[in-house]
Amino acid sequence: MTEANDRTDALQGIEGVLLANRTRIVRFLQVRGAGDAAEDLFQDLWMRLTERRAGPIADPLSYAMRAANNLMLDRYRSARQSELRDQAWTDANSAGDPSAERALISREQLALIEQAIVATGERPARIFRRFRMDGVPQREIAGELGISLSTVEADLRKVYAAIAAARRQFDA
């Protein structure tokens, strides 16, 4: 029974400190770089501190401020890792001009895709080019060609299937 009372006293104590010093803690978070996210971080801080099983805290305000500082450090580290990951991905994908071999392979693959599109027929190829390359809506293409919208959709599915089959050849 004493442990339950200790838990209740500790929660009321830390909750009381958070409520009494809310403005101060939010301002601290803003100054540390949280900006507009300071309110959200305060809510995270509240959840972290009230969910933990804690005994009596000698200086609850210092404890709360230290926890807020640690929350900001976690946020900074997470943002930094995200930046490093994005930079590494960008560096890996922008390695400069492709090799002659890679350029040749790409040209051959493009030629195969073009052949696959042409093999579907004149109308499906035209619909595909108008829709995917010119950005014309399907309904407008149907009106231009005097066909139904479902015919446009069916022709596009035919071209997409041919492209998918050609791409499977690349992977084989």
Side-chain angles (χ1 to χ4, degrees):
M1 187 78 169
T2 307
E3 186 178 324
N5 288 337
D6 290 343
R7 172 85 172 126
T8 304
D9 292 341
L11 280 177
Q12 288 174 346
I14 198 68
E15 286 176 352
V17 168
L18 289 172
L19 286 173
N21 295 286
R22 181 182 176 284
T23 305
R24 183 177 179 186
I25 295 170
V26 168
R27 191 175 22 195
F28 172 79
L29 291 169
Q30 287 172 334
V31 169
R32 296 283 290 158
D36 294 335
E39 291 288 339
D40 293 336
L41 286 171
F42 180 79
Q43 292 299 320
D44 289 345
L45 178 68
W46 180 282
M47 297 302 293
R48 285 184 182 197
L49 294 182
T50 57
E51 287 178 352
R52 289 193 178 150
R53 177 168 264 190
I57 300 169
D59 190 356
L61 180 57
S62 293
Y63 180 77
M65 296 302 276
R66 177 61 130 181
N69 187 55
N70 289 343
L71 194 61
M72 286 303 300
L73 287 173
D74 289 347
R75 183 173 186 259
Y76 170 76
R77 287 179 185 135
S78 175
R80 181 75 179 133
Q81 284 298 97
S82 178
E83 286 175 21
L84 290 173
R85 193 171 38 252
D86 289 347
Q87 185 62 42
W89 190 87
T90 301
D91 291 346
N93 286 323
S94 62
D97 293 332
S99 67
E101 179 185 12
R102 186 70 203 142
L104 179 63
I105 291 170
S106 294
R107 279 194 294 274
E108 288 175 356
Q109 289 177 342
L110 180 60
L112 288 173
I113 293 293
E114 287 176 352
Q115 288 174 4
I117 292 171
V118 168
T120 61
E122 183 182 330
R123 188 184 69 201
R126 181 175 177 195
I127 290 171
F128 175 78
R129 287 188 180 95
R130 293 287 290 149
F131 180 64
R132 297 300 288 186
M133 294 177 189
D134 298 338
V136 178
Q138 292 179 16
R139 190 171 306 281
E140 191 174 316
I141 295 169
E144 287 174 5
L145 298 178
I147 56 177
S148 70
L149 182 59
S150 62
T151 303
V152 170
E153 292 169 348
D155 284 350
L156 284 173
R157 280 193 302 273
K158 185 177 180 182
V159 174
Y160 293 148
I163 292 171
R167 290 192 67 191
R168 280 192 294 274
Q169 289 178 346
F170 303 156
D171 296 336

